[in-house]
Amino acid sequence: MKGIQIVSTGKALPEEIITNDDLSRIVDTSDEWITTRTGIKKRYRCRQENTTSLAVNAARNAVKQADINTDDIGAVIVATSTAENAFPSTAAIVQKELGLSENVLAFDLSSACTGFLHALNVGHALLNSTDYKYILLIGSEQMSKIIDYTDRSTCVLFGDGAGAVLIKADDNMYEQINYTRGNEDVLVCKGLGAQDAYVQMNGNAVFRFAVDVLKQGIDEILKKSDMTIADIDYIVCHQANERIINHVKKKYPGHEDKFYVNIAEYGNTSAASIPIALDELAEKGCLNKGRKLILAGFGAGLSWSCALIET
Ligand code: ACO
């Protein structure tokens, strides 16, 4: 099996920024509480934008960075839990707006905060089983539309945004592990037709789940790849709470700086958090050839997934 190469990346964010102080005027909270408990300082919120327009713009930005014939894009996968429509898919609209060939496989994938990792796994499998030259992976979320802005325990955590990554097959390392533990008790958002279609969670239970599976996942992917943490350049975890990442990075003394953290800027953007982080790393010139990254997603399902990729 071949691995994957990141050809280019892009992101898109709404114009409106909501600070912790802004939220403290809506619910009984404070900048101090949010910062110390989560690491979040601000997040973006859609006004004119939505999940579809963010996905389209992130994808457009990724494609702009790549010197390719867009007819060579064989598939578009949008990881999202906040699509505008039950159908058509967000991915179908991306096809239209980017003027991609009709000869493209385009679909949405719903797997909450693990969605981008699952899209990556499907993308990798497609690159190894079809003649697709390029695949566009997008994580796009308008979390603000599934947030109850009277619930201070959830509304401070989330933000809107999208990230996109164009990939192709390459002769480099790729390993991935995926886990699912069906559970509707600790983290749920009801679907179409529900009166209370808002994020509901047991924050403490999610916290414990996250720190457990991140450590387990990182150790397992390292073992599967016959590597140690010293071989890795960056670890990009889903950005749910800085305290979760701080907890995990303490388990890897001497390698704490490899854990990428940008949650202060965006809050938790669910399926978009990892591709947004990858776009930032690319902008900083950190994804030069030969870099080894662990990507670690976790979230509702419950599900978790780790991939080891080489740029
Ligand atoms: N501002 C002020 N006080 C608050 C707020 C707020 N925004 N939210 C909750 N509190 C209060 C609670 O009401 C509680 O008050 P009480 O003691 O009077 O009852 C107190 O703070 C402590 O509440 P806890 O829930 O114990 O606070 P904790 O330190 O666990 O932090 C948090 C809560 C931030 C949600 C944490 O549990 C967490 O991050 N869990 C992970 C959840 C997560 O990341 N979910 C994201 C979605 S899932 C995903 O992306 C994987």
Side-chain angles (χ1 to χ4, degrees):
M1 290 270 266
K2 284 183 177 262
I4 56 144
Q5 186 191 320
I6 294 179
V7 179
S8 63
T9 62
K11 65 175 167 314
L13 296 157
E15 273 181 27
E16 187 182 33
I17 292 173
I18 306 287
T19 64
N20 293 344
D21 286 336
D22 292 333
L23 285 172
S24 72
R25 288 187 277 275
I26 303 173
V27 288
D28 181 15
T29 190
S30 64
D31 177 47
E32 199 267 334
W33 194 95
I34 301 170
T35 305
T36 54
R37 301 290 178 119
T38 72
I40 300 166
K41 298 299 286 183
K42 64 184 177 74
R43 71 288 290 144
Y44 293 81
R45 186 166 70 181
C46 292
R47 285 282 175 208
Q48 313 300 327
E49 311 85 349
N50 60 23
T51 297
T52 307
S53 68
L54 292 172
V56 167
N57 287 330
R60 205 171 261 142
N61 290 336
V63 168
K64 232 188 282 169
Q65 302 292 322
D67 185 19
I68 64 157
N69 178 349
T70 53
D71 286 347
D72 290 332
I73 296 176
V76 178
I77 308 175
V78 180
T80 183
S81 302
T82 54
E84 269 60 61
N85 307 311
F87 52 81
S89 67
T90 315
I93 309 305
V94 172
Q95 178 274 334
K96 180 181 85 164
E97 293 296 326
L98 267 67
L100 303 181
S101 158
E102 289 190 358
N103 185 18
V104 69
L105 172 69
F107 63 95
D108 290 1
L109 181 158
S110 162
S111 205
C113 307
T114 320
F116 184 78
L117 263 292
H118 288 176
L120 180 72
N121 203 345
V122 176
H124 174 251
L126 286 170
L127 287 173
N128 277 285
S129 58
T130 66
D131 59 359
Y132 299 162
K133 211 161 163 188
Y134 301 102
I135 294 182
L136 198 43
L137 306 176
I138 304 165
S140 186
E141 303 281 15
Q142 184 181 351
M143 296 305 287
S144 58
K145 73 182 174 193
I146 56 166
I147 296 304
D148 175 357
Y149 281 94
T150 64
D151 177 6
R152 68 176 180 174
S153 67
T154 53
C155 75
V156 301
L157 299 176
F158 296 93
D160 301 338
V165 179
L166 187 73
I167 58 170
K168 69 174 193 176
D170 200 354
D171 293 317
N172 55 12
M173 285 211 59
Y174 178 94
E175 295 289 350
Q176 184 151 2
I177 52 168
N178 298 297
Y179 285 90
T180 304
R181 181 189 299 158
N183 178 304
E184 292 173 289
D185 297 331
V186 301
L187 190 49
V188 67
C189 178
K190 290 181 185 158
L192 280 181
Q195 296 292 316
D196 53 345
Y198 297 116
V199 175
Q200 296 167 40
M201 69 172 190
N202 176 335
N204 291 316
V206 175
F207 195 99
R208 283 196 302 276
F209 154 75
V211 295
D212 278 358
V213 301
L214 274 177
K215 170 79 169 74
Q216 178 237 302
I218 291 168
D219 288 348
E220 186 179 337
I221 199 76
L222 285 170
K223 192 163 178 224
K224 194 170 180 197
S225 313
D226 205 15
M227 292 202 172
T228 71
I229 196 82
D231 300 312
I232 303 300
D233 295 292
Y234 298 104
I235 300 151
V236 183
C237 299
H238 165 52
Q239 308 282 308
N241 183 326
E242 188 168 355
R243 274 168 56 223
I244 292 174
I245 298 175
N246 287 343
H247 207 88
V248 174
K249 72 182 179 192
K250 272 196 228 130
K251 309 271 167 64
Y252 301 95
H255 302 279
E256 293 91 338
D257 291 349
K258 295 178 178 178
F259 285 77
Y260 193 75
V261 182
N262 66 3
I263 191 167
E265 301 295 307
Y266 305 103
N268 178 348
T269 57
S270 193
S273 83
I274 291 175
I276 288 174
L278 289 174
D279 186 58
E280 288 192 341
L281 281 166
E283 279 177 347
K284 291 175 184 164
C286 300
L287 299 186
N288 306 336
K289 192 110 193 94
R291 299 294 176 98
K292 293 185 186 65
L293 278 77
I294 290 178
L295 310 181
F298 57 93
L302 299 167
S303 62
W304 63 103
S305 178
C306 285
L308 194 150
I309 62 170
E310 193 178 354
T311 55

